[in-house]
Amino acid sequence: MNIGSVLIENPPDERHFKFWEPIVWETSSAVMTLGGLWAWVLIYYRFPLARVGRWRFVAVQLAGFLGYTLSHVGGMVALRELAYALDGRDYDFSQGDLWLRVIYEGRKDALGYLLMLAIIWVEDRFSRQMHVAPAARRKLEIRDGGRTVFVDPAEVLWIEAAGNYVEVHTTDKMWLTRGVLSAWEAQLSMEGFLRIHRSRLVNRQHIQTIEPLPSGDVRIRLTDGRQIIGSRRYKAAL
């Protein structure tokens, strides 16, 4: 749409640029934006609001935005300079006022970043609702060796990382399945699971007592009598 608008608003006999230039302007920006999508998703799920708290979430997102706008503008300019060099010309990003151009691009990037953050949040909420809406979807699918078992999340006491696997603990069974703890955290946060350690999630419903330790960590006794340790770093979630 932007390319079309520029070409329509500047008829061929009034253009001070070549036909391909607005195409390069827009596609260079789009390429860098799409290239940063993975980072947005990673930041959102690595530092979820429910775990890190409001102010840390804001700080992480501000850092993410600064990283995005610097990489977006820097990569965009590099692509444009390459295109202009192939045409035997120089590309002037600053147009006589570098800071004004940086503010102009930063303003657009801020709106784009907020929009993409909102889209990821909506998708995350919708996905979680789809997982918990029908009763048949409340079962956890666990692939243990050559078989697949389906477990009610309410039966799970805690989940612990074990290298490239996670251990899913119930009162009478432990399943070892391939995966990363962050993915299980995203899936089960709406089911009352909390991260209490860098490598451990616990089902809030099965917490019986919480005992502070001299180190600042906590000892958590579960409803089946077993005890696990929670890190002081995640104590606020409890």
Side-chain angles (χ1 to χ4, degrees), residues 183-201:
W184 284 82
E185 180 183 13
Q187 180 183 0
L188 293 172
S189 61
M190 298 295 289
E191 299 282 354
F193 282 73
L194 303 172
R195 182 175 299 239
I196 59 166
H197 190 274
R198 183 172 59 87
S199 60
R200 197 169 296 130
L201 303 176

Side-chain angles (χ1 to χ4, degrees), residues 16 62 93 182 185 202 233 236:
H16 60 283
L62 284 174
F93 170 72
S182 58
E185 180 183 13
V202 68
R233 176 182 174 188

Side-chain angles (χ1 to χ4, degrees), residues 31 58 92 98 120 132 142-143 180 182 184 207 223 227 229:
V31 166
V58 171
D92 181 17
L98 178 61
I120 297 171
V132 302
I142 302 174
R143 298 181 180 179
V180 293
S182 58
W184 284 82
I207 296 177
T223 51
Q227 299 179 4
I229 299 299

Side-chain angles (χ1 to χ4, degrees), residues 15-36:
R15 288 178 193 161
H16 60 283
F17 54 82
K18 295 183 179 181
F19 177 84
W20 57 265
E21 291 184 66
I23 299 176
V24 169
W25 301 338
E26 297 301 329
T27 55
S28 60
S29 177
V31 166
M32 295 308 302
T33 298
L34 292 174

Side-chain angles (χ1 to χ4, degrees), residues 1-119:
M1 289 178 64
N2 287 347
I3 294 169
S5 297
V6 170
L7 295 176
I8 291 171
E9 293 168 3
N10 296 271
D13 56 343
E14 297 179 10
R15 288 178 193 161
H16 60 283
F17 54 82
K18 295 183 179 181
F19 177 84
W20 57 265
E21 291 184 66
I23 299 176
V24 169
W25 301 338
E26 297 301 329
T27 55
S28 60
S29 177
V31 166
M32 295 308 302
T33 298
L34 292 174
L37 284 179
W38 67 271
W40 285 338
V41 176
L42 178 65
I43 290 172
Y44 179 87
Y45 284 105
R46 180 65 181 83
F47 301 96
L49 177 61
R51 177 164 63 81
V52 303
R54 181 183 309 155
W55 296 114
R56 190 180 177 198
F57 179 82
V58 171
V60 168
Q61 294 301 329
L62 284 174
F65 163 69
L66 290 175
Y68 161 66
T69 192
L70 290 174
S71 62
H72 174 245
V73 174
M76 177 183 71
V77 170
L79 290 174
R80 294 177 183 179
E81 288 180 343
L82 175 61
Y84 276 72
L86 293 175
D87 192 49
R89 294 190 293 155
D90 293 327
Y91 173 71
D92 181 17
F93 170 72
S94 67
Q95 298 182 12
D97 194 333
L98 178 61
W99 285 111
L100 183 63
R101 292 288 296 174
V102 169
I103 293 172
Y104 172 76
E105 294 294 340
R107 179 190 63 177
K108 293 195 300 180
D109 285 349
L111 292 174
Y113 190 90
L114 289 173
L115 176 61
M116 187 54 61
L117 187 62
I119 291 172

